[in-house]
Every structure is written in structure tokens, then in C-alpha cells.
């Protein structure tokens, strides 16, 4: 009997070896699948979309949209001539957003030098320590007082350019005289103040409230 134990059961040994080989094969297959999935994700995140045709760059300066047509070929910077997909890119590239930006840029172009007369320079965030309205710290209504939270709680008024907390700048109003044809954030004082030199938007401007466009 001792000799039988030492030699072992050939069939059992073969079965154990087969199970071990199967486990190794399954593990290798799982690792290969996981690697392939990671490579696929990496490939998707590295996809760069190329805008077709002419490229018009929209940018914001003190709340006013501007538009400039970019040259073809080598004159276009790589980060502008390509679109890199990201998680919330659809929210940033909705038709409504483009439409409002283009209308704002067109109104700004039509106003020309008159726009500078209505604009007030924006106060830098670094130039203020408290809300310019209530005189309290910007994070007074937040659960955190970190530097990051403070930056999130600071808002510019698009009319006077001041820096205000969330509670003192909850209102919005359109100001065509400032090329802001869609409602934008303003402080309480500017919301209730009469509009000086208000200029009507273009005759063909058919602005649709955002609630009806999505």
C-alpha cells in the first residue's frame, strides 16, 4: 500500500494536470481580453476628429463672444485644428451653444467701437478678498472653505465686471448693448438697474429659450 501511495494514481495526476493547464489557459485568456479592452479604450480616447472645411474659432473675452476664421494648412495650431473627445463634450458642443455664440459674435461685430464704450473692465479674482456686494467671504454658503471651493464660488457680473458670491449673482439678463443676446449672470444691482443705451438685436434674430431647444 505504501508503494501505491508513493506512485499515486496516474488518472488523478493527469486530471490535476489538465485542470492546472485549463486554469492557466483561462487566466491567460482573461488577461488578453483585459489588455485588449484597455487598448480599445486607449485607442478611443486618443481619437482626434478633424473639423471639415473652414474653421471659425469662437472665444470669449470678458463675457463677449468673438469669432475669427483661421487660415488653412500650417497656420492652424494643432489644438484648434483637431477635436479631442472627452466625457461631456456633447454638453459643450450643442447646437444651441454654437448658435448663441455665433449670434453674440455677430452682434459684437456689428456694434464695433461702440461696444467698448459700454463695456467695463472685469475685476480680477485675485484683486478681491470678499464679495463686492455682501462683503462676506465667497465660501460662506459652502461646506468647504478650500481655495478650490473659493474659486468655484466666485462669479463675475457680466454687466459691471465685479466679483460676487453665488447668492449675490443668481439673476440673469440679456444685454444686447454688450453683445450678450442670451441671458447671462449679473449681480443683484445690475439685474434691477435700467439698461443704458440698450440696442435691439438684429431683426432676423429669432432667439429660442433653451428650455425648448433640447
Amino acid at each position: 500500500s505504501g508503494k501505491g501511495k508513493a506512485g499515486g494514481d496516474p488518472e488523478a495526476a493527469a486530471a490535476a494536470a489538465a485542470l492546472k493547464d485549463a486554469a492557466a489557459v483561462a487566466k491567460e485568456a482573461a488577461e488578453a481580453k483585459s489588455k485588449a479592452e484597455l487598448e480599445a479604450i486607449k485607442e478611443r480616447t486618443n481619437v482626434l476628429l478633424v473639423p471639415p472645411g473652414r474653421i471659425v474659432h469662437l472665444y470669449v473675452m470678458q463675457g463677449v463672444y468673438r469669432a475669427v476664421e483661421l487660415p488653412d494648412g500650417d497656420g492652424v495650431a494643432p489644438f484648434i485644428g483637431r477635436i479631442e473627445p472627452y466625457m461631456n463634450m456633447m454638453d459643450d458642443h450643442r447646437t444651441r451653444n454654437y448658435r448663441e455664440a455665433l449670434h453674440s459674435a455677430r452682434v459684437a461685430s456689428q456694434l464695433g467701437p461702440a461696444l467698448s464704450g459700454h463695456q467695463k473692465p472685469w475685476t480680477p479674482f485675485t484683486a478681491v478678498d470678499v464679495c463686492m456686494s455682501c462683503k462676506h467671504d465667497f465660501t460662506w454658503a459652502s461646506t468647504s472653505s478650500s481655495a478650490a471651493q473659493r474659486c468655484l464660488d466666485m462669479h463675475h457680473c457680466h454687466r459691471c465686471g465685479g466679483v460676487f458670491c453665488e447668492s449675490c449673482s443668481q439673476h440673469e439678463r440679456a444685454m444686447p448693448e454688450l453683445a450678450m443676446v442670451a441671458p447671462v449672470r449679473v449681480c443683484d444691482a445690475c439685474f434691477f438697474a435700467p439698461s443704458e443705451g440698450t440696442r435691439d438685436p438684429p431683426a432676423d434674430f429669432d432667439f429660442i429659450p433653451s428650455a425648448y431647444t433640447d
Side-chain angles (χ1 to χ4, degrees):
S1 59
K3 184 177 180 180
K5 290 181 180 179
D9 188 348
E11 294 182 358
L19 288 174
K20 184 177 180 180
D21 291 342
V25 171
K27 181 179 179 181
E28 184 178 351
E31 291 177 350
K33 181 179 179 181
S34 178
K35 183 178 180 180
E37 291 176 349
L38 290 175
E39 289 295 332
I41 294 174
K42 184 178 180 180
E43 185 176 349
R44 287 198 300 270
T45 57
N46 289 335
V47 171
L48 294 179
L49 306 178
V50 180
R54 298 161 55 192
I55 299 178
V56 176
H57 178 48
L58 291 167
Y59 64 97
V60 181
M61 182 180 294
Q62 294 197 20
V64 178
Y65 276 98
R66 303 285 186 172
V68 58
E69 184 176 355
L70 302 179
D72 296 330
D74 297 335
V76 179
F79 63 90
I80 294 179
R82 299 289 186 272
I83 300 175
E84 184 175 352
Y86 53 93
M87 291 299 294
N88 59 335
M89 70 174 298
M90 297 306 297
D91 293 332
D92 294 339
H93 294 80
R94 292 183 182 275
T95 302
R96 184 191 73 242
N97 296 346
Y98 279 119
R99 186 171 179 274
E100 291 178 358
L102 288 170
H103 271 292
S104 177
R106 192 184 73 169
V107 173
S109 177
Q110 291 176 341
L111 288 174
L115 178 58
S116 301
H118 291 293
Q119 281 184 312
K120 296 181 180 180
W122 282 20
T123 304
F125 282 178
T126 55
V128 293
D129 296 322
V130 295
C131 172
M132 297 175 67
S133 178
C134 67
K135 308 303 180 183
H136 286 88
D137 190 88
F138 294 99
T139 59
W140 71 268
S142 300
T143 57
S144 172
S145 58
S146 65
Q149 185 61 49
R150 186 174 187 273
C151 187
L152 290 174
D153 291 336
M154 301 173 76
H155 304 281
H156 272 116
C157 170
H158 285 68
R159 186 172 185 265
C160 69
V163 185
F164 303 90
C165 66
E166 176 75 22
S167 297
C168 293
S169 59
Q170 293 183 338
H171 297 291
E172 293 184 346
R173 65 181 287 185
M175 295 173 287
E177 71 277 13
L178 295 178
M180 300 176 189
V181 292
V184 291
R185 182 188 293 269
V186 293
C187 66
D188 293 346
C190 287
F191 178 74
F192 294 105
S195 180
E196 299 178 1
T198 299
R199 182 180 186 278
D200 292 331
D204 61 344
F205 179 73
D206 54 339
F207 176 73
I208 303 176
S210 58
Y212 301 98
T213 57
D214 286 336

